[in-house]
Amino acid sequence: KTSSKFINTSWKADDLSVKKSLNFQNKKKRIYNFKRKISSLDFNLKETASNCVFSDINIDSKIMIISDMPNKEEDISGIPLSGKKGEFFDKIFSNIGYSKKNFYISNLIFWRTPGDRKPSIDEIEFCLPLMYELIEIINPKLLLILGCFAAKYLLKRNEPIIKLRGKEFSYEQKKLMIKSFIMRDPSFLVNNALEKKNTWLDICKLKKIIKVN
């Protein structure tokens, strides 16, 4: 009897492993198709940007980071949170044992705006449904929102970022309801030393949230 039970349990474990593998392969295919879709879109920012800034790395992470929009270094590399922005991110997150490798990372806007100007409402509204789709594909347990535009349009918050940072909210879209946490964008923090103390407090809160989830 013991042997029979052991065999049955092993099969269940194998079935679960196969199911996880199939789910991952399906997600990988969807990400590939999504990337092709946004790369083929007719959009004004594509005319001035060097690259579509998009990641297909760590798509199975349970934590998804969404920043506002790419800067010059991200535009050149085509990789979210690259350059000095990414280095600073890794520096502050290393204090709680994390780096960019632990997250799936994206921007609300996939292309750099000319001169890093604020995106127009039309540009945001063009990208917003795409981001809804991307979040649905990744299906994270936690959204880490970096910056005011992402917070305003994804979480429907109109308060200034100084009042939103360090707080938990809920992302709700269709059947999805995902816990979300807001922080300053690393691009802002690199040149604003006074905010780094508040960021440390936010990081400590985030560490507790990650442990719970």
Side-chain angles (χ1 to χ4, degrees):
K1 291 181 179 179
T2 302
S3 176
S4 175
K5 287 182 178 179
F6 180 77
I7 292 172
N8 289 337
T9 302
S10 297
W11 275 110
K12 287 180 182 179
D14 289 342
D15 289 345
L16 181 61
S17 178
V18 170
K19 185 177 180 180
K20 285 183 177 180
S21 178
L22 289 173
N23 288 341
F24 176 76
Q25 291 303 320
N26 179 55
K27 183 181 283 189
K28 193 173 181 180
K29 183 178 180 179
R30 292 181 70 188
I31 284 290
Y32 173 77
N33 289 335
F34 181 83
K35 185 176 182 179
R36 290 187 64 185
K37 173 183 173 180
I38 61 174
S39 297
S40 65
L41 291 172
D42 183 18
F43 185 46
N44 68 301
L45 291 183
K46 294 176 68 175
E47 297 176 6
T48 54
S50 300
N51 283 296
C52 172
V53 181
F54 185 80
S55 175
D56 54 9
I57 299 172
N58 205 5
I59 62 173
D60 222 23
S61 175
K62 296 303 179 184
I63 304 173
M64 181 177 181
I65 292 176
I66 304 175
S67 188
D68 283 340
M69 56 188 179
N71 62 17
K72 183 177 181 179
E73 290 177 301
E74 291 172 291
D75 178 50
I76 293 171
S77 68
I79 301 171
L81 276 184
S82 55
K84 292 180 181 178
K85 181 177 177 179
E87 290 173 6
F88 184 76
F89 179 93
D90 277 343
K91 182 177 179 181
I92 58 177
F93 272 78
S94 65
N95 290 293
I96 59 170
Y98 291 92
S99 72
K100 296 190 297 291
K101 296 178 181 179
N102 298 111
F103 311 102
Y104 177 77
I105 304 169
S106 183
N107 289 294
L108 175 63
I109 309 295
F110 296 105
W111 299 270
R112 183 192 178 202
T113 58
D116 295 322
R117 63 163 171 75
K118 293 181 179 180
S120 68
I121 294 176
D122 286 343
E123 289 164 349
I124 292 172
E125 289 182 347
F126 181 91
C127 291
L128 202 53
L130 298 172
M131 181 51 63
Y132 291 155
E133 183 178 348
L134 183 58
I135 293 172
E136 189 269 329
I137 293 172
I138 299 300
N139 193 26
K141 288 188 175 180
L142 177 66
L143 283 175
L144 176 55
I145 307 295
L146 305 179
C148 58
F149 294 116
K152 179 176 181 178
Y153 289 95
L154 290 175
L155 302 181
K156 299 175 176 61
R157 309 300 307 191
N158 290 314
E159 304 94 319
I161 189 69
I162 194 169
K163 292 186 177 181
L164 296 174
R165 50 144 287 273
K167 295 180 181 179
E168 293 180 52
F169 297 92
S170 179
Y171 167 85
E172 298 178 14
Q173 179 67 22
K174 294 183 178 179
K175 295 181 180 180
L176 287 180
M177 186 176 292
I178 305 172
K179 182 179 288 188
S180 305
F181 188 79
I182 300 177
M183 291 181 60
R184 287 278 198 180
D185 190 290
S187 294
F188 175 84
L189 295 172
V190 168
N191 300 310
N192 290 270
L194 292 177
E195 277 296 317
K196 291 179 180 178
K197 180 180 179 181
N198 287 331
T199 300
W200 170 245
L201 297 175
D202 295 345
I203 287 288
C204 292
K205 290 180 184 178
L206 180 64
K207 183 178 181 181
K208 294 178 180 178
I209 294 170
I210 292 174
K211 281 186 176 181
V212 171
N213 289 273

